[in-house]
Amino acid sequence: MTTETKEISKKEAFLTYLLRLADDRLILGQRMSEWCGHGPQLEEDLAMANMALDLIGHATALYEYAAEIEDKGHDEDYFAYFRDDRDFVNLQLCELPKGDFGFTIARQFLFSAFSYFQYERLKDAKDEQFSGMISKHLKEIKYHLRHSREWVLRLGDGTEESNKRTQESFDELWMYLGELFHMDEVDELMIKEGLGVDSTKFKEDWKKLVEDTLIEATLTVPDWDQFMMSGSRKGIHTEHLGHMLAQMQFLRRSHPDAEWK
Amino acid sequence: MENQEKLDEFQARIDAGEKIEPKDWMPERYRQQLIRMMSQHAHSEIVGMLPEGNWIERAPSLKRKLVLLAKVQDEAGHGLYLYSATETLGIDRSELVDQYLYGSAKYSSIFNYPTMTYADICAIGWLVDGAAIVNQTMLARSSYGPYSRANVRICKEESFHKKQGYEMLGKMASGTPEQQKMAQDSVNRWWWPSLMMFGPHDSDSPNSAELIKWQVKLKTNDELRQHFVDRMVMEAEAIGVTIPDPDLEYNEETGHWNFGDIPWDEFWNVVKGNGVMNRERMKARRAAHENGEWVREAANAYAHKKKLQQEKAS
């Protein structure tokens, strides 16, 4: 392999890596924003709008950097508005419909816990701009984790109904967790370059946090060995994503030459 | 009967420009008027999240999506501290919420109009938040301390809300032909409803005189409306949108802009529940409240359990 091809592939891998992180956050933030004005209590309207704002804000910063790395004259909006379903590389976990409040909280907890361990390691990435962004976002992720964890405890250990609903949500979400720890050539190259993290290294820590929380919340930890979905990082998605993108992108695509910033 | 001496003393405090605080003596009628006004203000912030929330998912750029989310989040915050300020008058938030979801408490009629295009979001920022600022700047000097302070805080955030709407509307008004059309159409639809936000003419406003006597309000509906029109005429011109009022004319004598007749029939019709979105708004808010009941119950049950555990441990 020549130096030149190695450089290109590093650039491509970094771009893909940034897009995976950004897509997760945009899509989850978009789902979270659906709660706006429909939350179970005013404090949660505020908290959910805040989390959506953080997630989409993080995605925006990552897309901006991706555009810089890509160097094709695109901007952050290009990645959000002008790519199709197959181009999106977010986790399927993030695109599932918002469900009830328990489902939203359960997903947020699982994702925030994963992000927490991931960002704790990514903040030492050998790229100042990237690691700076990660450190900044990590503070907000800690809040998301604390907030969603507290709600898992309240809902799990609240009433019979809340326990049942929350248990069902975790059961339903479980098969989307396997691919949080899938590693491919992009991850491998990024780890080699000091830009990515090996998620299998913190899998046990993440599992422990999840299990401890569920047990404290008087919930049952679903079977880790059940069938697990895969394919997100190669652009394989549930049918839900296409509908979300249609809604998210329609106005921008209807008037592509207009100024919307 | 309230003691005349106490009433006079109260009025003297008001006239001297003193703030009334929650523990101070106040006429029952003053308390009731404030509860009505403040809770109506709070409900409006909450219902107001719906027409704008309608465009978060479809906002045409990430920047605009973030701005809109931040704005709607602010509104939830305004609702929260307005409810808290109202609670200082000895009424529970849950009771206030019940009054508007299932009773006769009102919220601002402006939110019963639909946001059909993205330009409506900009027009709301400019006109609706613009009108709200005029009103709330006055209320920031209101005689009731907690309400006055809540409005000081709200005004700071509202000026950002107005600015973002005005700025984007300006961009659309000088953008592509489609954007220009959308921008003007939104101004056409939101102009008159925004004038109606100041309430009926002084001659038809039964609460005004009393509220002004108590310095809850410092200006009449018509005075505030005129102030708003004078400002908006200049701002409309600056970004190249036309205010849909052929009678708009500068009056050299008064130094104000004369404007045409406000379509009050439409106003009262919407107040009565016949706006495009009245039913939808109430349906959405009731659904949020009812679907959230199990969550609130769980939170209460959990808090109760934790309290018992703590008591046992100590």
Side-chain angles (χ1 to χ4, degrees), chain A residues 30 34 36-37 40 42-43 46 50 53 77 81 154 157-158 162 165 247-248 252 258-261, chain B residues 46 57-62 64-66 72-73 77 93 118 171 179 285 292 294-296 298 302 305:
Chain A
Q30 176 85 357
E34 292 173 16
C36 225
L42 199 42
E43 286 80 354
L46 209 56
N50 188 31
L53 197 55
D77 284 345
Y81 290 94
R154 282 187 203 110
D157 195 14
S162 70
R165 282 175 181 258
Q247 187 186 36
M248 184 171 82
R252 183 60 180 263
E259 172 64 45
W260 289 114
K261 276 203 209 174
Chain B
I46 305 309
E57 291 144 74
R58 295 176 290 168
S61 68
L62 289 168
R64 291 290 147 190
K65 194 188 281 289
L66 291 169
V72 180
Q73 188 196 8
R93 181 167 120 199
Y118 178 72
K171 281 183 187 169
Q179 281 181 309
R285 288 306 307 157
W294 71 271
V295 176
R296 295 187 300 275
Y302 181 79
K305 274 184 209 174

Side-chain angles (χ1 to χ4, degrees), chain B residues 151-169:
Chain B
N151 277 292
V152 170
R153 215 170 137 185
I154 289 170
C155 279
K156 281 186 195 150
E157 292 171 345
E158 291 286 2
S159 47
F160 149 73
H161 295 176
K162 184 190 164 192
K163 193 169 157 256
Q164 60 80 33
Y166 183 57
E167 181 193 281
M168 189 62 213
L169 191 71

Side-chain angles (χ1 to χ4, degrees), chain B residues 115-225:
Chain B
T115 50
M116 290 191 288
T117 75
Y118 178 72
D120 291 357
I121 297 305
C122 309
I124 287 182
W126 178 44
L127 296 170
V128 176
D129 291 309
I133 289 172
V134 170
N135 206 12
Q136 287 158 358
T137 305
M138 168 197 70
L139 293 171
R141 292 185 288 131
S142 168
S143 61
Y144 188 55
Y147 194 35
S148 153
R149 290 187 288 273
N151 277 292
V152 170
R153 215 170 137 185
I154 289 170
C155 279
K156 281 186 195 150
E157 292 171 345
E158 291 286 2
S159 47
F160 149 73
H161 295 176
K162 184 190 164 192
K163 193 169 157 256
Q164 60 80 33
Y166 183 57
E167 181 193 281
M168 189 62 213
L169 191 71
K171 281 183 187 169
M172 291 185 74
S174 56
T176 64
E178 292 88 352
Q179 281 181 309
Q180 290 179 20
K181 196 176 148 200
M182 265 191 253
Q184 185 57 51
D185 172 60
S186 70
V187 174
N188 292 349
R189 282 182 289 111
W190 291 91
W191 173 252
W192 292 107
S194 70
L195 291 198
M196 298 177 206
M197 280 175 71
F198 296 96
H201 283 310
D202 298 344
S203 51
D204 303 317
S205 177
N207 293 308
S208 267
E210 190 176 54
L211 292 173
I212 286 177
K213 183 183 88 178
W214 281 329
Q215 298 283 294
V216 173
K217 288 177 69 167
L218 287 88
K219 284 184 176 156
T220 69
N221 296 351
D222 285 329
E223 283 170 337
L224 292 168
R225 187 166 18 241

Side-chain angles (χ1 to χ4, degrees), chain A residues 93 100-113 148 151-152 155 165-171 173-174 177 210 214 219:
Chain A
L93 176 74
D100 68 7
F101 181 73
F103 187 88
T104 287
I105 284 297
R107 166 171 51 194
Q108 193 60 45
F109 166 66
L110 294 165
F111 181 80
S112 300
S148 57
W151 268 108
V152 169
L155 296 179
R165 282 175 181 258
T166 312
Q167 184 66 55
E168 281 168 6
S169 297
F170 277 107
D171 292 345
L173 285 160
W174 221 248
L177 298 177
V210 170
L214 265 65
L219 294 161

